[in-house]
Amino acid sequence: MSRVASLVRVLIAYVLAFSLLAAWMGWGPRTGMLWVDGLIADLLATLVVFAASRRYGNSSFYDPYWSVLPPALAIAWWIRSDTPVDDTRAWIVLLVIVVWAIRLTGNWIHTFPNLSHEDWRYPMLREQAGRFEFVVDLMAIHVIPTLQVFAGMLPVYVVLTRGGRELGWLDVVALVVGLAAVALEFASDLQMHRFAAAKEPGQVMDRGLWAWSRHPNYFGEFSFWVALALFGVAAAPGEWWWMFAGALLMLAMFQGASIPMMEQRSLERRPAYQEVVDRVPRFVPRPPRNRTR
């Protein structure tokens, strides 16, 4: 299947998924709690994408969901909210989310060859699950990431449904952190793409931002979710104690699953990567240790 034909099929699945999300938020039964309405709509859209993943035997159908859901959910919450909020803060939060979503979705489109390609982690997880592969595909690859993103979006829900707090210095901090996070992700992915296009067999990436962190893209992603939490604290300081829960879930996923899997694969395919592990910080960018001689 060609790249264009593959992208068209993904687009159709997402049009159906987000049409269902919009219909549920607009005309579906009300629970009396707007955040719960959003969660139900989010899960219904996820099931549509899951159905497409099963139809084409490719769980990478879900990959762009991570980046296209947040702006759609934020807009739906803002439209449905009946509480007067600070429009300036709301617009700033939406700006950060949209810039992040365009960057991340654009990167996915750039790296997506066609539906013959699937993220290497997905078949590995399904194979390890054996007869429970359907459950693992549904929950581990689709539903759990949806819940993680939803948790990360809850501070945005606060911004869009709480009134009374004027724009302040913390909003400026959150804006700077959010845009810097997007810039860091963009730069690190661009450097990796250029390296991958020119590298020799077995060569490892240890230049640019990747000389200061083995996973600068993940650090940028985590920083984005921290920025959303900061916006939530700015809107409702009294609820600061739970605002960072979503960002911490992201950190746990990166540190406990994504990074270990990526590093193990790199070590298996490129033994020279061990020297990078010994020298370059794992996550937070900082100067590397000197090369051993």
Side-chain angles (χ1 to χ4, degrees), residues 218-282:
Y218 283 142
F219 179 77
E221 183 69 10
F222 168 66
S223 300
F224 165 77
W225 296 103
V226 168
L228 297 190
L230 291 173
F231 278 119
V233 174
E239 299 181 44
W240 63 269
W241 54 274
W242 67 265
M243 292 288 184
F244 293 91
L248 291 175
L249 285 174
M250 297 292 177
L251 182 62
M253 180 186 68
F254 294 151
Q255 295 285 14
S258 300
I259 289 176
M261 292 173 71
M262 294 291 291
E263 301 229 307
Q264 181 62 36
R265 187 168 190 255
S266 293
L267 288 169
E268 291 173 353
R269 300 175 69 190
R270 293 178 289 275
Y273 187 68
Q274 183 61 56
E275 192 270 337
V276 177
V277 172
D278 295 338
R279 193 170 46 81
V280 178
R282 172 185 170 106

Side-chain angles (χ1 to χ4, degrees), residues 187-198:
S188 59
D189 282 343
L190 181 62
Q191 290 173 1
M192 180 58 78
H193 294 328
R194 289 175 174 173
F195 169 78

Side-chain angles (χ1 to χ4, degrees), residues 28 45 63 72 111 167 213 234 263:
D63 289 348
T111 57
L167 207 66
S213 169
E263 301 229 307

Side-chain angles (χ1 to χ4, degrees), residues 27-51:
W27 301 284
R30 301 291 189 255
T31 64
M33 293 176 287
L34 182 54
W35 71 271
V36 176
D37 295 338
L39 176 58
I40 294 171
D42 191 359
L43 290 171
L44 290 174
T46 299
L47 291 177
V48 173
V49 175
F50 173 68

Side-chain angles (χ1 to χ4, degrees), residues 127-206:
E127 183 178 347
Q128 290 175 348
R131 60 177 179 167
F132 299 106
E133 68 88 17
F134 180 92
V135 176
V136 168
D137 193 10
L138 172 62
M139 298 304 298
I141 300 175
H142 292 79
V143 172
I144 290 177
T146 286
L147 295 176
Q148 288 179 304
V149 171
F150 186 85
M153 285 291 293
L154 286 176
V156 177
Y157 173 80
V158 171
V159 170
L160 301 174
T161 59
R162 300 281 198 280
R165 294 286 303 184
E166 295 183 355
L167 207 66
W169 64 269
L170 190 54
D171 295 286
V172 177
V173 172
L175 174 63
V176 171
V177 171
L179 294 181
V182 175
L184 176 60
E185 288 187 279
F186 175 78
S188 59
D189 282 343
L190 181 62
Q191 290 173 1
M192 180 58 78
H193 294 328
R194 289 175 174 173
F195 169 78
K199 71 177 180 179
E200 300 291 334
Q203 189 177 5
V204 295
M205 177 56 151
D206 63 347

